[in-house]
Amino acid sequence: MEDQSRVLAAAVETLDDVFYIYDADGKLAYWNARLNELFDLTDSELSGTEPTDFFVADDRKAVEAAIEEVFESGQTTVEARAETTEGVVTFELSGRLLTADDGTVQGFSGVGRDITDRQEREWHLQRQNERLTEFADLLAHDLRTPLAVTSGHLELAAEELSVERINAARDGLGRLESIIEDLRTATRDGALAADEQAVDIADVATTAWTHVETDSAVLEPPPSILIEADPKRLLRLFENVFANAVTHGPERNERAADEEGGDDATQITVRVVPTPDGFAIEDDGRGIAPDERERVFEPGASRAADGTGFGLYIVRTIAEAHGWTVRATAGEHGGARFEFDIDADTAC
């Protein structure tokens, strides 16, 4: 029996999961070394701790409820987050009541399993499903109008052989093509970034600028910023932000144009700058009103008459595909600024 106990104890120590036993008072009585590793605590520091001691404040009530459940019903399962030596980890925690032969409650045992990656996959799947729903609504709205207009022009063109109406029909079909292409891009680039590697933002930004019709806009030489990213998706992100700046930035008010004077009054300068959490792209153009800064990322949002409204929506989906966040704010020179916060794991 003693040999058997030693084998079982050795087996528990080989687990990647956390194994724990709490006594009848809810105090930690036994655990494997994985718990020491994750929280960088000694045996004496861990002995007698309560389950809630390990988890973030927002999740402690759920853990408390799970403890009550295991003592009442005999078993429980709960998810909770903890700050560990490996970063913030989401655990799936199990609990089963331990009783003596006479039915006396001795405590409970369980396993804490790291499900952080699974949760991230589920989150991305949920986001993809939400996008599909959005696309279905947008297709009904955005594609029906240009189709109707194009069909009307073609019918009239057939009767009148009007070059003007034929050109209008071609414009309508071109807009349809742009909408469809942006829908495909949002679906494809909104998936998880599958080819992440070390890239220099300076190289990506410089290349993206050559792909955009920049008119009189100027890109300041971008600084070297090394990150882990999918190069193709990152290139599309920069192309879309640059296109947004060039399209909307020059729409300055007349007073500002008069003050600056000349043809250069509407010229904008675009900058890529490092930030404590990642990087930002900003311009000195028109800017985005505070109450519009969240809406600009919604699909179908566009101030341009010929825009599809998917440019910044695609930017957000690409950022989220990398595990980043993006927000619009005011730039240092009064224009628009898009700040990209990168998780510590993705920075070089």
Side-chain angles (χ1 to χ4, degrees):
M1 183 67 69
E2 186 177 341
D3 289 342
Q4 223 175 16
S5 297
R6 282 201 298 268
V7 171
L8 288 173
V12 167
E13 292 301 326
T14 66
L15 293 176
D16 290 331
D17 301 327
V18 175
F19 177 77
Y20 44 80
I21 296 176
Y22 285 84
D23 62 23
D25 295 323
K27 305 292 185 181
L28 187 62
Y30 181 85
W31 58 93
N32 63 352
R34 183 62 175 149
L35 189 63
N36 299 80
E37 295 170 2
L38 285 171
F39 293 93
D40 194 23
L41 296 173
T42 64
D43 288 345
S44 60
E45 290 172 326
L46 286 172
S47 181
T49 56
E50 298 181 357
T52 53
D53 292 342
F54 299 100
F55 302 102
V56 299
D58 289 345
D59 293 350
R60 288 174 187 165
K61 285 187 178 180
V63 175
E64 290 174 354
I67 295 169
E68 292 179 6
E69 183 179 21
V70 74
F71 281 113
E72 291 174 1
S73 66
Q75 61 183 20
T76 190
T77 302
V78 66
E79 293 181 7
R81 295 162 296 168
E83 293 275 1
T84 74
T85 56
E86 298 176 4
V88 178
V89 172
T90 301
F91 289 97
E92 181 180 70
L93 307 162
S94 64
R96 286 186 175 274
L97 198 64
L98 299 174
T99 57
D101 292 339
D102 62 0
T104 303
V105 173
Q106 296 181 317
F108 67 90
S109 66
V111 171
R113 177 159 296 165
D114 183 348
I115 61 167
T116 309
D117 290 342
R118 187 181 80 189
Q119 278 207 329
E120 183 177 353
R121 289 194 297 272
E122 290 174 351
W123 180 84
H124 280 288
L125 178 61
Q126 181 182 355
R127 288 290 300 142
Q128 289 291 80
N129 289 337
E130 290 172 355
R131 291 190 189 105
L132 289 175
T133 301
E134 292 170 348
F135 291 161
D137 294 338
L138 286 162
L139 282 172
H141 177 270
D142 284 347
L143 299 185
R144 185 180 294 120
T145 300
L147 274 174
V149 171
T150 302
S151 297
H153 282 301
L154 287 174
E155 288 178 9
L156 292 170
E159 297 173 3
E160 305 172 7
L161 296 177
S162 167
V163 174
E164 180 182 351
R165 293 197 181 278
I166 291 175
N167 287 337
R170 286 173 178 165
D171 290 342
L173 291 173
R175 176 165 167 73
L176 275 176
E177 185 178 351
S178 297
I179 292 172
I180 292 169
E181 179 59 28
D182 277 353
L183 281 169
R184 291 180 61 202
T185 299
T187 304
R188 182 175 61 252
D189 289 349
L192 287 173
D195 186 27
E196 292 193 20
Q197 56 187 268
V199 295
D200 191 336
I201 282 180
D203 296 334
V204 177
T206 302
T207 301
W209 189 256
T210 66
H211 294 176
V212 178
E213 294 183 10
T214 56
D215 296 326
S216 61
V218 175
L219 174 67
E220 283 193 356
S224 177
I225 305 172
L226 296 178
I227 63 171
E228 289 283 334
D230 185 314
K232 291 182 179 178
R233 287 179 168 88
L234 188 63
L235 180 65
R236 183 58 185 256
L237 180 150
F238 271 89
E239 290 171 351
N240 283 21
V241 176
F242 288 160
N244 181 79
V246 172
T247 301
H248 301 296
E251 298 174 10
R252 311 286 289 276
N253 60 57
E254 292 183 3
R255 183 177 62 82
D258 289 340
E259 289 175 357
E260 295 176 21
D263 295 336
D264 292 336
T266 57
Q267 176 180 302
I268 66 164
T269 299
V270 180
R271 302 173 183 83
V272 180
V273 296
T275 67
D277 299 312
F279 64 95
I281 306 170
E282 64 179 18
D283 61 61
D284 56 2
R286 175 185 179 184
I288 304 171
D291 59 351
E292 292 288 311
R293 289 173 186 166
E294 180 59 30
R295 196 184 74 82
V296 295
F297 294 107
E298 296 176 3
S302 178
R303 295 197 302 256
D306 58 349
T308 65
F310 284 95
L312 294 179
Y313 175 71
I314 292 172
V315 167
R316 184 178 65 179
T317 63
I318 294 174
E320 290 178 350
H322 284 85
W324 308 344
T325 61
V326 57
R327 62 179 174 273
T329 183
E332 183 180 345
H333 301 281
R337 176 181 170 99
F338 295 94
E339 297 179 349
F340 296 87
D341 289 350
I342 301 176
D343 291 340
D345 292 342
T346 65
C348 290

